[in-house]
């Protein structure tokens, strides 16, 4: 394959996080170009804006009086730069407002949704379309294949605090509390009757539920936190792929649940030092510590 030279121009008109958005889209541009086997020299422009500007663009160029999630303009289709050694693919314009709505609707991170829209626009610029059912099936199959291979949710967690994992968001914390309570219902505790519920929330939005499982040979019991982490690890969700770990126990209402030492050691292996651990009390109040705060001077593979 001939060596590619990819030029990328990016503008963020939302004030969201220009530096981090630029990096994600530039990396995704290179990744998708490689995935499609493009050869030669290319240039591409990308703009992130809001619904009002997308609506204006749709009115002016598509005679559509409403905002959409993404608009793409293939300059080659307009007859521009056909003889140029550098192929100008065109421009992709993404609405942050619609992207946020759709990310919430589909229960995944904003970074993943914006990557999805970027790939969608990029495929349009390279001749893919969804005018009929057969074309749409082919395009969306390819779009999902590129997205899942790139996986913006894992590689670019930089947007998570901006949208979803805001611990000051009452709605989010209430939903998280419901999740750990649901996990707690499945606890197998015939000896202690002390129930633990835990949830690992992955950066791609998937949840892994865990509970404590006791054994008549007491040392063989497994904590709820480890159950959740092991289930997540089975799917390859470890380290930076984990957004947070949350738990609740049957401790008195005025006490926050706290992981045991064994669980903290497993956290040091499967999570990062900065992964938040949300400890709920029975009444829904919570305390948050990082893994490193729970286990300072931890023993890790770096010590071996």
């Amino acid at each position: 394959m001939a060596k590619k030279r990819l030029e990328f121009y990016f503008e963020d008109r939302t004030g969201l996080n220009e530096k981090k958005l630029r990096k994600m889209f530039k990396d995704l541009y290179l990744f998708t170009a490689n995935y499609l086997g493009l050869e030669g020299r290319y240039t591409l422009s990308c703009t992130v804006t809001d619904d009002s500007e997308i609506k204006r663009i749709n009115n002016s160029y598509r005679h559509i009086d409403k905002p959409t999630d993404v608009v793409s303009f293939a300059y080659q289709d307009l007859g521009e730069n056909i003889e140029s050694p550098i192929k100008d693919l065109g421009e992709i314009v993404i609405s942050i407002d619609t992207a946020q709505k759709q990310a919430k609707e589909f229960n995944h991170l904003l970074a993943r949704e914006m990557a999805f829209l970027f790939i969608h626009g990029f495929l349009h610029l390279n001749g893919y379309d969804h005018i009929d059912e057969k074309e749409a099936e082919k395009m969306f199959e390819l779009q999902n294949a590129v997205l899942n291979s790139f996986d913006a949710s894992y590689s670019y967690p930089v947007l998570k605090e901006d949208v979803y994992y805001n611990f000051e968001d009452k709605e989010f914390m209430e939903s998280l509390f419901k999740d750990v309570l649901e996990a707690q219902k499945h606890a197998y505790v015939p000896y202690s009757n002390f129930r633990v519920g835990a949830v690992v929330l992955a950066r791609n939005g998937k949840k892994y539920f865990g509970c404590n499982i006791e054994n008549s040979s007491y040392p063989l019991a497994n904590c709820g936190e480890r159950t959740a982490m092991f289930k997540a690890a089975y799917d390859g969700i470890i380290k930076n792929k984990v957004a947070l770990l949350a738990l609740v126990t049957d401790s008195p209402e005025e006490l926050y649940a706290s992981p045991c030492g064994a669980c903290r050691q497993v956290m040091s292996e499967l999570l990062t030092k900065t992964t938040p651990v949300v400890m709920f009390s029975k009444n829904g109040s919570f305390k948050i510590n990082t893994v490193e705060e729970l286990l300072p001077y931890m023993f890790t593979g770096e010590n071996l």
Side-chain angles (χ1 to χ4, degrees), residues 21-278:
L21 281 173
R22 182 191 303 275
K23 175 171 173 52
M24 182 180 79
F25 287 134
K26 186 175 182 181
D27 290 351
L28 186 55
Y29 173 29
L30 176 60
F31 183 88
T32 310
N34 283 331
Y35 198 98
L36 297 180
L38 300 186
E39 299 181 6
R41 301 170 65 186
Y42 296 88
T43 183
L44 173 71
S45 299
C46 178
T47 301
V48 176
T49 186
D50 57 20
D51 272 355
S52 62
E53 185 171 2
I54 287 280
K55 182 179 179 179
R56 181 186 61 77
I57 292 171
N58 280 332
N59 263 318
S60 299
Y61 297 97
R62 304 174 66 202
H63 307 294
I64 298 175
D65 189 31
K66 65 178 182 179
T68 51
D69 49 14
V70 60
V71 179
S72 56
F73 297 94
Y75 294 162
Q76 290 293 313
D77 292 344
L78 301 176
E80 299 183 18
N81 302 320
I82 292 178
E83 302 301 326
S84 172
I86 302 178
K87 182 177 180 181
D88 191 339
L89 292 172
E91 183 173 7
I92 299 170
V93 185
I94 297 172
S95 169
I96 185 64
D97 296 328
T98 302
Q100 287 177 328
K101 293 173 188 174
Q102 292 176 171
K104 191 167 186 178
E105 178 184 352
F106 294 108
N107 193 30
H108 57 221
L109 295 180
L110 178 61
R112 185 174 178 84
E113 179 66 21
M114 295 186 79
F116 182 85
L117 298 178
F118 181 91
I119 296 168
H120 185 88
F122 192 87
L123 292 180
H124 273 308
L125 298 183
N126 284 276
Y128 293 88
D129 215 328
H130 45 80
I131 297 175
D132 59 47
E133 186 175 343
K134 188 173 182 180
E135 282 185 336
E137 182 178 351
K138 180 180 179 181
M139 180 174 177
F140 283 104
E141 182 179 351
L142 177 58
Q143 182 173 326
N144 285 317
V146 176
L147 178 65
N148 291 332
S149 297
F150 180 76
D151 211 332
S153 301
Y154 298 160
S155 304
Y156 301 87
V158 295
L159 301 177
K160 70 181 183 66
E161 292 87 359
D162 297 327
V163 183
Y164 292 108
Y165 304 130
N166 180 357
F167 297 123
E168 296 179 2
D169 184 333
K170 183 178 178 182
E171 183 179 348
F172 171 70
M173 295 309 295
E174 288 177 349
S175 176
L176 188 61
F177 184 50
K178 289 179 181 178
D179 286 337
V180 292
L181 290 178
E182 179 61 31
Q184 190 183 35
K185 293 178 183 178
H186 299 271
Y188 177 75
V189 288
Y191 307 104
S192 71
N193 292 314
F194 183 81
R195 302 168 305 151
V196 178
V199 173
V200 167
L201 185 58
R203 293 200 187 280
N204 63 2
K206 190 171 182 180
K207 301 171 183 177
Y208 297 87
F209 293 78
C211 61
N212 53 330
I213 303 170
E214 294 184 343
N215 193 291
S216 57
S217 177
Y218 293 166
L220 298 182
N222 200 60
C223 297
E225 300 95 314
R226 278 180 278 162
T227 302
M229 286 188 287
F230 292 158
K231 288 172 69 176
Y234 179 84
D235 266 0
I237 306 300
I238 62 172
K239 303 291 186 182
N240 287 319
K241 297 181 180 182
V242 175
L244 62 85
L245 169 67
L247 63 135
V248 69
T249 75
D250 280 331
S251 296
E253 288 190 4
E254 67 274 11
L255 297 179
Y256 294 108
S258 180
C260 72
C263 285
R264 297 182 192 203
Q265 180 59 39
V266 173
M267 289 175 194
S268 74
E269 182 70 29
L270 299 181
L271 310 182
T272 70
K273 293 180 179 180
T274 59
T275 301
V277 179
V278 184

Side-chain angles (χ1 to χ4, degrees), residues 283-301:
N283 63 16
S285 60
F286 57 89
K287 180 178 176 60
I288 302 172
N289 288 100
T290 65
V291 171
E292 187 170 30
E293 288 170 340
L294 291 174
L295 188 62
Y297 310 110
M298 62 185 69
F299 183 87
T300 69

